[in-house]
Each structure stands twice: as C-alpha cells, then as structure tokens.
Amino acid sequence: MTSYRLPPLPGEEIDRAQPISFTWNGKPHSGFAGDTIVSALAAAGVRTFSRSLKYHRPRGVLTASFVDPNCTLQVDDEPNVRAAHRRLGPGMTVTSQNAWPTLEFDVKAANQLVGRFLTPGFYYKTFMSPRPLWPAYQKVLSRFAVGGRTTRDAPHGYYDQRFAHVDVVVAGAGPAGMGAALAAAEAGADVLLVEEEYDLGGHLRWGGADELAALAALRAEIRARPDIEVLPNSVVTGRYDHNWIAVLQRSGLRDSGVVERLVKIRAGVLVVAPGLIERPYVFEGNDLPGVMLGTAVRRLINLYGVRPGARAVVMTANPEGDAAVADLRRAGVEITRVVDARRGEDIRRAIGHGGVREVELGDGTRVEADLLTVSIGWTAPTSLLNMAGNSPVYDADAARFRPGAAMPPDVIAAGGIVGDGTTSDLVEHGREAGREAARRAAGGEPQAIQDLSGARHPEVFRADTHGFVDYSEDVSSKDVFGAVREGYESAELAKRFTTATMGPSQGKLELVNTISVIAEATGSLLADVGTTVWRPPYAPLSLGALAGRSSEPSRVSAMHRWHVEHGMVPLVAGQWIRPDSYGDPQAEARNVRERVGIIDVTPLGKLDLRGPDVSRLLECVYTNTWANLAVGSVRYGVMCAEDGVVFDDGVTGRLGEEQYFMSTTSSGAAAVWEWLENWLQTAHPEWQVHVTPVTTAYASINVAGPRSRDLMSRLVEDVDLSGDAFEYMRVRTGTVAGVEDCLMWRIGFTGELSYELHVPASYGLHVWEALMAAGAELGIAPFGVEAQRILRLEKGHFIVGQDTDGLTKAGSAGLGGLVRLDKDDFSGKPELVWAQGTDAPLLVALQPIDGTVVPVEASQIVVGDRRIVGRVTSSRMSPTLGRSICLAQLAPELADPGTTVTIVRPEGGTIDAVVMASLAQVDPDGVRLRA
Amino acid sequence: MISIPCPYCGPRNSGEFRHVGESRPRPDPQTTTPQEWRSYLYLRANPQGWTTESWYHAAGCRRFFQLERSTDTDEVRALADRNMT
C-alpha cells in the first residue's frame, strides 16, 4: 500500500510514536494518534468515502472538517459519524454508509443515468398518488435514503447534563476567540471558551511559522488562567432568549463514562467568534473525489502530514488559495496550473470517473491532474447571531455576508465573522470584544467596539457549467434554476422545494451558493435575495444528549417496600408509584364489603390550614357552606374554577378553632395549594391564614369494611370509637398502634364503615403492619386503587376528571345540593348562577340490561339515528351486584330513572342500559356507611 | 428559557415559575354581567410591546408577583409595586 504520509512537519498534530490500528470496510489499516479517521485513510490513499444521497456518486474529502458533507461514516455501532472531525481510536471498525453492495461498486449509482427524473419535486410529484400506495412507496424509498445503522443491542451509554452560570461564553477559539477569552478573564470575568475542534487555534493551526508562534503564545496564556474553562470538541448549538446558551460537549468525557454532555448556560455575554467557513465553487464535476477546498488541503498537509495528491490544479481568489499553493509545493505535489480568479481566470469542469483525472480550464484547455484545489471565497457562520435577532447583510466588496448592525447588548461578534485582518488584528479585535463583554457582564452600559472591515474579495460563485450547490442533498445549480422556473423564487421556498441547505450541514457550506444561483436565475442582486433564517441547533445534536439523564423524581409512600414485597401491581399516577392492586382487585373489593381492607392513600393531597380567617378562605374556594363547621367535624366540598367547572374535591376537617386539615385529590394537590395561595396573596392579602403542605408529612391509610371498627378498637386506646361517640363525618386525634397524634376521619369513599388515618410518615409502615397483624383474625386484606375504584363506583362517588370533564359545572355533576348560590361569593359563582336551568348533561348511574357486558369507558350513548346524547365515564364489573355498572354523562331529558338508552360499543354493536334512580347502586341509603 | 427576576429570590429560570398571565381585576361577582365576567375569564389584550403580567414562583418561594415584559423582545423589568395588591 502506497503511503501518502509526509515527513514530519512543525505544526502537525499527529503523534508518530503512537500508531493506531483500525479497520475500514473490513480491511486492516493504521494511523497515528491525533489523526482523524479520514486523515488516516487519506494517508493510505483512500479517495472515496461515501456515495451521495440520490445519485450515489462517489464522494471524497471536500473540507476535511466537521462540516465535510462527504465524510459521514459508520464507526462501530455509531452511525453518521463526522469522520473528517472524529479522532481515530484504537480498534475502531469503520465502514461506509449509503453504498450497496460496496463503496467501489454501488448498484444504485444507476440513479445517475435517470438523474433527469430525480429533479427536485420528483418524489412529491411521483409518489403522492394513488394515496393508498404511499406505505409501499415509503418502504422502497427509505431503502434509497439510508444513513447509518443502529442496532437494538448497541450500548446506550451515559449522557450527562450540566448547568452553568458564567459571565462570558466565547464561541470559537481561533485568534479572536482566544483573545476575547484572555481579555475578558483579565478584566475579571469567569470565562467559558468553547471550541468545535479538538485543539485551540482555528486557522492558526495550519498556518506558517509566524502563526504557529502566535498560537503557542496564546495557548500558553490560556493554560495559565484558571478563570478560563476550555471546552474543546464542543459546540455552542443555540443561543436563546436572555442568553440561555446550549453547549454540546463531545469529548474529554469518554474516560469518565460519559458519552456526551449538554451544558445549559445562563451567560452574561456571548462572544461569537467562529471565524469563517470556506465556500465551495459550483462547476461541473465539483463533487469528484480529488476536488478539495484550500483549507482541506492545508489541514491534510499541515495537521496530519498527508499529501493530498500528486498533480494539482489550484484555483485561487484569495490568500488562502495562495497559501495552499505554497503548502502543496512544500508537500512535493506538482502544481500543473494556478488559476487566479483575481485576474479573471476560471475553470470549467473537472473530468474523471471515480475521481479527478483532468481539469478543463476556462479557455477550453485540458490539464492532467488528480487534485483540484479551490479557494474562491468564504461564508460567515452567522447562525448564532441570527438566533440573537441579528440579520446578516451581504457585502459585495468582501463577497460574503457580514453581521448586521442590530445586535442585542449581550451578544458581541468578533474576529473573522466580522472582517479580515492579520493575526494580530484578529487577536486585538477579540481582545476588545472580550474586555467589552466583561464590562457588560459586570453591569456596564454597552459601548460599541471597533469594526473590523472586510478585505476586498472577488465575487466568485459559479463557473459557466452547472455543479452541485448542496452535496449532502445532491442538489445542483441546474435544480435551483429549475425551481425558480417553477416559481420558487424566494430563498425560503426554493430551499424547501429543492431541499438545498436542508441536509446535515444545514447550509453552512451550501447557503450562499444556493442564493447566489437564485439571484442569477431571477436576475436579482444577491443582497436582495437575502438569507434564510437560521434556527438552533447550529450543529447536530444526538438524541441521547438531548434526552440526557432523567431528572424526573418519583414519589412513593412509607409503605412502598411492603407493597412491593406483597406483590403489588404498580400504578404510575403522576409522580406517584402506588399499588393498583395486589393481583385480584375483584377479590380485594369483595373483602372490603364482607370483612375489612386497608388501602394506602398517602398521595392524597393534604394541607394544614391555620389562622383566624381559614373559614373565609374555605367559603371562597368551596361551593358549599363552611362557617358553621364545628370543631371535630369534617365536610365534603367541591372546588370550581372561576368558569364554574369542577376542578377538585375533597374533605376538610376542623381540628381546632383556628386549625383545619384539608384533603385534596392526589393529582390536584399542587394545583389546590397554588389556588389557595392565589386567593390569599392576590385577592385577600389582609386575611390571616397560613397554608402548609403536609402531603408527605403523613402516611395515609383508609381502613374500610364492616369489621373496621373492630379492627380499629384493637389498636386505638384513647378515642371512643363507638358509633354514638365517633359519628360519620367526624374527626378525632389519638393514638394508633402506639403512635401519638394520628388523625382519624370517619368518612367513606368506598361506601363502607371506614376510618381514614393520617399518621406521621415515619410511622406509616409500623401502623400499616400493626393493622395487618391485628386484622389477621378478622380476614383483613390490603386493597389497591383498582378495588377502590370499583367500590366507589358501586357507591356512585364520582372522580374529578374521570366522571367530570372540562365543561362539567358543579350543578351538573349531581352536586346541586352542594352549591350554595346564596353565598355572597365563591370561585365560579357567577357562572353557576347563569348555568341554572340550562340543559347541561347530568351525571347518572346506568346498568346495562345484559349485566355480563362491561361497556368500554368513553363509549358514546346515542338515540335514534345515532345522535350522541352522552357517554359512559366509568364502567366496571361489580362484585357486590354480580353485574356490570356504569356512571355516565347524559342529556337531562333522558336522565329520568327507568329510561332505556343505547350505548355504542367501539368493538361493534350496541347495548341497551337503564338509568338508575340513584348514583349509588350499592347501599343507596348509606346504612353501611353510617353503621 | 427566559430569566425571571423574582423579587424575593432573584433571577431564576422561567421553568421554576407558572406564567399566570396578564394581570386583570376580578369583577364584583354580585353585580357582574356575563359579558364582563367572560371577558375577565377569556379575553386578553395581548399587546405587542410592554405588558404587565403575573407569575407564580411554584418551584421557589411560592409567591405571586407582577412584572413587566415586552412581548416583542421578552425583555423583563421589575415593577415598583411588585405585589399583586
């Protein structure tokens, strides 16, 4: 194998003492530490790295940087690796993508022959009809648009997140960025310096002796400053409002087990110093392997010691191209022709099959060459500035877009993105930006920094032949002309129609060429076509980095371990994980009706309310009356929002003259707390009420069933539990299983004699186990949420949000008696007054005539020609009645008891059901409850 | 994610807050008309430019407070009288 590796060079970043072995498409290769995957392969003479998206044309190195559209490879189980950026690692398995069966012989290259049919809009126009065939089309097309491969067993890796607060973030560590970081730090700011590549320095890295000397000095200064944190191989992916900045950190992490880290930063000032990206030239054959940008050639030679070819034609319009000529000569490459665009010289096409063989010049002469180096202009990556509200302006003299005038005070552009200059000009511009950034971050009034003017540069965009404007999307200048002919004259439309600039490099290489072709095709000035809008992310992010580690907490009660040990079937309810059942909810429900059961209801919202004005607050938030609630009593209440719609319900008890204890639904706990604070802080700040959330300060257990009093009496010493002394809807404080200060409420969601215990959370498990032990001879069994739902449905108790919806006002939920319109004011009162007499749906109980059928919840109820008159809101098999039972919302004219209605079953057919006299279908008179 | 200057806690990410919205007085429920009440419930001026609005620091001090925000630029500034009263 011929080696294209050059003798050692002064600025090279490879370590020739450290060879690294890897494989490329199954064959063993080796490179050096510091090589990119592509530089190591280029050193071995590899010229073709990929096949293009549509036409499967062979593609080689173009930019030799992260944005290289032709060097996206599969590395081990990671697809779409930017291999001209990613450093070589030992043992890597590198393969090409989008080629079949092999990179050298790709059958889909036949697409080139039908290229004229694959023009923009081809897919839209051809495969849209007939519509039903789309799934079949999609299967075939997706095989043609394949990227890399992922496997299900690929290790997931650990993706981290970090939050940072820094004074100054500097995006880009070229001469200006390094200058900005140093000056900002010297002025007292904390600085984060973010560099997309592995090493600091930008274009100084592949420069001559002077640049290398300047670079070494700058690097040493930065290393010496602990107040500058450097993130190499990291990129600022977005700038959002108030300088909320996202940085993707790609490396320096793998040893710590972190694949990538997303850093979210609130920054004082963002200095944008990304430098410039070299722009490709549009001509026939501009995608042949062997056509490279000047910066690519200079990187390959100076950083990696790779000779990029043997015989070169160089087209140059600027000092970068001139420097490429010098570098190529130094690397022993024969320069067969220098085409100087500043003198009006041009090339016409690159000729070759699988790679450049000849170059046809503007005058028609043909020159033999295997390398065509092109340096015809620059693109300023203004994406971050655009995200900050700045619109770039085209400067015809400099032949590139430059930042516009309107810049928010917390963003400063510096260096090459602004203008041109010598190394020291760029460093000094960065220093000025850094000083100003530190001053503004410390609260100083913004002052303008000096402008850096753009050097004169000829406008060179396209030869007199057509070539690719977008390599990743296989869009040619001819396609853009075609789009304009079809009427897509604005950049935003032509971009979407052709998909130019919409590929993986997101326009960094392609945008300016695309709009220059649009300008040419429409006969307008490039400045008038304008750019398209840049949105985050600036660079691609992996989904892993976005997902990061989960920071969603989950909540469990003090009895959780017991539930797990006793076979709980978990239910995830918001943040809570609680037992849905212990295996057989029907049996659990029967046991409550016949003997006694206990359920963990810790997630119930609990609020401790104290102060002289609590009852006034309760009058405001509940629809019923509270002023007359006696100490020792509890009351059920419904809360409405100001639109009269039911939003929560629960029981509140009065423990003392100025002390109340409120329970809310489990899901509504946070909202009710906020609602109370809202009334206290905004409507009645003069009221003296203290609200303390105690949801997790107490473990809550409901003891339910005919034997619950018997069970309680075995564990409670200091409270008289007899029916006369501790009546239904009363609250007592006492000692349970030796635990003092337990709250006991006699209430019954299940419809049984029951006690709800709120015990200090740390004793929750103790009391639970004591109940289980003491209840053994009474036939105790735990029950879960599902059994509770069955029991409450038998009793006709509704659940907010299940049996009510976003339109259910308090009067229509079967709660007319709980709405006291004679109160002066309460939340939602005006709407409830106006809702009187309207025909809102009513909540009713239904029994399907065939009691073996349990209609699916949300089934529609219809009359006649399938007019919808209601829907089933809850539906279960009742173990007590041995038949199915439902709650439903129903039009009032059909809500009379005994009316037969028709339920449509989503699985097909209908079933008739009868409206019941009472919402409660078990014990409608409440005998069991009040036992 | 914008930064909200909580008058009690200092600047915090807006994710810690609930945006209550444009501040507007609650009509007297005794005398209000459906038109007035429903415009209180549902209608917002939604100006382009500066607006006074309420925020609730749900993951912080749990206080309601008001500030001014420009709907154009998301620039925020504290109110002299920051409380809702």
Side-chain angles (χ1 to χ4, degrees), chain A residues 36 148 158 200 241 282 315 480 591 626 661 699 715 864 897:
Chain A
T36 66
Y158 178 73
L200 305 189
D241 285 331
V282 180
M315 177 170 174
V480 176
N591 197 60
W626 288 83
F661 193 87
L715 294 170

Side-chain angles (χ1 to χ4, degrees), chain A residues 139-446:
Chain A
K139 252 184 211 160
V140 176
L141 292 178
S142 66
R143 207 168 298 158
F144 273 76
V146 67
R149 298 173 304 277
T150 50
T151 56
R152 284 183 180 279
D153 52 356
H156 175 266
Y158 178 73
Y159 292 83
D160 196 24
Q161 286 196 0
R162 170 189 165 192
F163 294 85
H165 299 81
V166 290
D167 299 326
V168 176
V169 172
V170 181
M178 288 192 288
L182 284 167
E186 284 157 10
D190 282 335
V191 180
L192 191 68
L193 178 58
V194 184
E195 169 52 45
E196 185 171 28
E197 308 221 351
Y198 290 82
D199 290 299
L200 305 189
H203 69 267
L204 300 182
R205 288 161 55 214
W206 51 91
D210 292 348
E211 280 95 349
L212 290 176
L215 174 56
L218 286 166
R219 280 184 181 166
E221 274 192 80
I222 284 176
R223 256 198 311 275
R225 290 212 72 102
D227 42 7
I228 301 177
E229 184 185 354
V230 180
L231 298 186
N233 193 18
S234 301
V235 62
V236 176
T237 66
R239 185 270 177 190
Y240 305 86
D241 285 331
H242 297 186
N243 258 4
W244 180 244
I245 288 164
V247 171
L248 177 69
Q249 201 181 349
R250 295 196 184 102
S251 80
L253 302 167
R254 286 187 183 255
D255 292 344
S256 60
V258 175
V259 182
E260 288 180 341
R261 176 181 290 137
L262 191 62
V263 189
K264 301 178 182 182
I265 303 162
R266 182 73 71 190
V269 175
L270 171 67
V271 176
V272 180
L276 294 170
I277 294 176
E278 193 166 26
R279 182 164 50 79
Y281 188 39
V282 180
F283 59 95
E284 188 180 325
N286 67 345
D287 67 328
L288 281 176
V291 176
M292 290 184 204
L293 303 185
T295 42
V297 161
R298 300 192 68 202
R299 279 167 180 265
L300 286 177
I301 295 172
N302 294 309
L303 302 181
Y304 311 111
V306 173
R307 186 162 56 87
R311 293 160 61 85
V313 170
V314 181
M315 177 170 174
T316 172
N318 53 41
E320 185 69 12
D322 304 341
V325 171
D327 284 347
L328 285 166
R329 287 212 167 99
R330 198 152 54 100
V333 178
E334 182 193 341
I335 308 283
T336 54
R337 192 70 64 97
V338 175
V339 179
D340 195 330
R342 289 163 293 199
R343 294 199 301 258
E345 297 168 6
D346 203 352
I347 56 170
R348 184 166 289 155
R349 57 174 62 90
I351 300 158
H353 186 76
V356 177
R357 213 182 58 240
E358 276 185 320
V359 177
E360 184 181 327
L361 306 179
D363 59 8
T365 55
R366 292 190 171 194
V367 185
E368 220 176 284
D370 63 352
L371 176 66
L372 170 55
T373 299
V374 186
S375 282
I376 52 84
W378 303 98
T379 296
T382 54
S383 177
L384 287 174
L385 300 179
N386 211 196
M387 292 174 210
N390 182 274
S391 302
V393 177
Y394 184 69
D395 179 346
D397 288 338
R400 67 173 192 255
F401 282 88
R402 297 175 61 214
M407 195 82 78
D410 52 10
V411 176
I412 302 174
I417 192 173
V418 178
D420 299 289
T422 62
T423 300
S424 58
D425 290 343
L426 293 170
V427 172
E428 190 40 53
H429 193 249
R431 282 190 164 276
E432 204 188 330
R435 273 192 298 274
E436 175 63 10
R439 222 175 51 73
R440 291 187 196 175
E445 276 301 305

Side-chain angles (χ1 to χ4, degrees), chain A residues 709-747:
Chain A
R709 181 177 290 127
D710 189 351
L711 171 57
M712 289 287 287
S713 66
R714 296 169 189 225
L715 294 170
V716 177
E717 301 140 30
D718 47 1
V719 175
D720 182 351
L721 295 170
S722 67
D724 295 335
F726 190 177
E727 288 175 295
Y728 180 56
M729 296 305 270
R730 295 289 184 273
V731 55
R732 298 286 180 270
T733 306
T735 305
V736 181
V739 180
E740 292 173 358
D741 292 327
C742 295
L743 280 178
M744 289 168 255
W745 320 56
R746 224 196 114 183
I747 55 176

Side-chain angles (χ1 to χ4, degrees), chain A residues 653-723:
Chain A
R654 189 170 193 176
L655 307 181
E657 274 308 313
E658 296 186 0
Q659 188 189 352
Y660 291 71
F661 193 87
M662 173 184 279
S663 67
T664 74
T665 63
S666 302
S667 54
V672 171
W673 182 17
E674 179 184 335
W675 188 227
L676 299 185
E677 289 292 350
N678 194 343
W679 278 93
L680 291 170
Q681 291 180 36
T682 72
H684 295 287
E686 74 281 6
W687 287 353
Q688 294 182 47
V689 178
H690 216 92
V691 182
T692 310
V694 291
T695 300
T696 45
Y698 289 94
S700 305
I701 303 167
N702 194 286
V703 185
R707 298 177 187 170
S708 57
R709 181 177 290 127
D710 189 351
L711 171 57
M712 289 287 287
S713 66
R714 296 169 189 225
L715 294 170
V716 177
E717 301 140 30
D718 47 1
V719 175
D720 182 351
L721 295 170
S722 67

